[in-house]
């Protein structure tokens, strides 16, 4: 299993692909994505299968795909793979397994703590009184975020809740939660309170949004503008489809 995204290194990519045309560069990126989302990060040595997956519309498209395969991919046991991409694939699998194992250990420790809570309190009382307890030691409960992290429900009387209610939709909130988890998962952040960091993340995002797009009047204007752009794009796609049909390509 891999993450639904992979690391992108613009400098490395630019250095290795500077000589490619725009269509060749697009083909290269599409092949990388196809490999990443295929089990084992490899694809079969079958140009017909690859061309169909890459939505090739002409013999020229297929020729571009083949040239990229020949230059940047290697065949092993009847399958194409890209060396650098395979290395990143193995790294992501290793990190993912470590996060899963850490999550399991965290859940086990929590259940043990809950089961032993009452007995631990009784033992502590008999062994030592509060006045004699030594507070020179430190308590370290830092944990790595779990990929299934679910933040606590926001209190409706808090500043954060009021900001979210006014400036964010439910879809935007879900997207920010996904970004928050992905960010701290990738960074392997350790924290004693991810809920507090989540609230700070939301406040910063709303503040950035307000500074960028201003008040609700501007938001409404931007929404109308985005709809106009979407309509124009759909119109262009329709014209392009008619052109393909006339050429016998669709």
């Amino acid at each position: 299993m891999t993450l639904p995204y992979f690391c992108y290194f613009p400098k490395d990519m630019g250095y290795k692909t500077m000589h490619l045309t725009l269509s060749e560069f697009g083909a290269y990126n599409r092949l990388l994505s196809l490999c990443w989302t295929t089990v084992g990060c490899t694809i079969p040595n079958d140009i017909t299968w690859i061309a169909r997956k890459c939505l090739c519309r002409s013999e020229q498209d297929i020729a571009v795909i083949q040239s990229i395969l020949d230059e940047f991919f290697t065949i092993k046991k009847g399958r194409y793979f890209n060396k650098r991409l395979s290395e990143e694939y193995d790294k992501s699998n290793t990190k993912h397994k470590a996060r899963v194992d850490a999550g399991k250990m965290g859940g086990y420790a929590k259940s043990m703590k809950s089961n032993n809570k009452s007995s631990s309190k009784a033992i502590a009382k008999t062994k030592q009184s509060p006045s004699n307890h030594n507070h020179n030691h430190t308590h370290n409960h830092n944990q790595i975020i779990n990929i299934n992290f679910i933040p606590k429900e926001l209190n409706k009387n808090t500043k954060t809740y009021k900001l979210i209610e006014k400036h964010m939709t439910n879809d935007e909130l879900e997207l920010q939660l996904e970004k928050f988890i992905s960010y701290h998962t990738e960074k392997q952040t350790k924290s004693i309170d991810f809920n507090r960091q989540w609230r700070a993340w939301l406040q910063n995002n709303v503040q950035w949004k307000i500074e960028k797009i201003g008040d609700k009047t501007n938001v409404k204007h931007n929404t109308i503008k985005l709809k106009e752009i979407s309509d124009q794009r759909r119109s262009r796609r329709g014209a392009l489809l008619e052109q393909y049909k006339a050429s016998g390509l669709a």
Side-chain angles (χ1 to χ4, degrees):
M1 179 179 179
T2 62
L3 295 172
Y5 58 86
F6 56 81
C7 293
Y8 189 88
F9 303 91
K11 286 187 178 180
D12 293 348
M13 179 70 78
Y15 175 77
K16 293 180 180 179
T17 62
M18 193 66 69
H19 61 290
L20 298 180
T21 65
L22 189 61
S23 61
E24 289 171 337
F25 184 76
Y28 181 42
N29 277 275
R30 179 160 288 184
L31 285 169
L32 291 177
S33 297
L34 180 59
C35 268
W36 186 267
T37 54
T38 304
V39 176
C41 201
T42 64
I43 53 178
N45 180 15
D46 182 348
I47 191 60
T48 301
W49 184 90
I50 296 172
R52 181 167 56 84
K53 290 290 185 180
C54 290
L55 304 179
C56 292
R57 300 294 187 182
S58 66
E59 292 297 328
Q60 182 179 359
D61 289 345
I62 296 175
V64 171
I65 289 290
Q66 187 63 65
S67 68
I68 297 300
L69 288 168
D70 293 340
E71 182 173 357
F72 294 99
F73 290 77
T74 304
I75 298 176
K76 183 177 181 180
K77 296 182 180 180
R79 299 184 71 85
Y80 280 107
F81 74 95
N82 177 276
K83 183 176 181 296
R84 175 65 182 276
L85 189 68
S86 294
E87 291 173 353
E88 296 300 327
Y89 182 89
D90 292 337
K91 288 179 184 178
S92 74
N93 272 338
T94 301
K95 289 181 179 179
H96 176 75
K97 186 177 184 302
R99 290 194 295 269
V100 171
D101 292 342
K104 290 180 179 178
M105 290 300 294
Y108 174 75
K110 185 176 181 180
S111 64
M112 290 296 293
K113 182 179 179 181
S114 177
N115 292 335
N116 296 327
K117 187 176 181 180
S118 58
S119 60
S120 296
K121 284 184 177 180
I123 293 173
K125 287 181 179 179
T126 56
K127 289 184 64 176
Q128 185 175 11
S129 66
S131 59
N132 295 327
H133 185 66
N134 183 4
H135 288 279
N136 290 330
H137 63 274
T138 58
H139 298 275
N140 186 4
H141 300 294
N142 283 351
Q143 292 185 356
I144 297 175
I145 195 168
N146 190 297
I147 56 175
N148 296 318
F149 169 73
I150 300 177
K152 293 181 180 178
E153 186 175 354
L154 294 172
N155 188 321
K156 294 184 178 182
N157 295 322
T158 61
K159 174 184 176 182
T160 305
Y161 181 89
K162 293 176 181 177
L163 283 173
I164 300 309
E165 186 178 37
K166 183 176 180 181
H167 297 285
M168 294 183 73
T169 64
N170 289 335
D171 290 338
E172 288 175 318
L173 190 61
E174 288 294 330
L175 177 61
Q176 288 306 318
L177 179 58
E178 181 180 341
K179 288 183 177 181
F180 176 80
I181 295 174
S182 297
Y183 174 82
H184 288 294
T185 298
E186 184 66 25
K187 295 290 184 181
Q188 293 191 330
T189 307
K190 291 185 178 181
S191 175
I192 60 174
D193 189 357
F194 277 109
N195 282 288
R196 178 175 57 81
Q197 291 187 234
W198 167 238
R199 293 192 296 272
W201 176 288
L202 289 176
Q203 291 174 6
N204 291 336
N205 180 264
V206 171
Q207 185 62 38
W208 172 86
K209 185 177 179 181
I210 293 172
E211 292 176 356
K212 185 174 180 63
I213 63 178
D215 59 23
K216 291 188 175 181
T217 303
N218 288 333
V219 172
K220 182 178 181 181
H221 172 75
N222 290 338
T223 302
I224 296 173
K225 188 64 178 177
L226 287 173
K227 184 178 183 305
E228 292 176 355
I229 293 173
S230 297
D231 291 341
Q232 292 172 3
R233 287 176 177 170
R234 280 193 291 271
S235 177
R236 286 199 297 271
R237 286 199 299 271
L240 184 60
L241 179 60
E242 292 301 321
Q243 182 180 341
Y244 278 148
K245 288 180 178 180
S247 304
L249 298 177

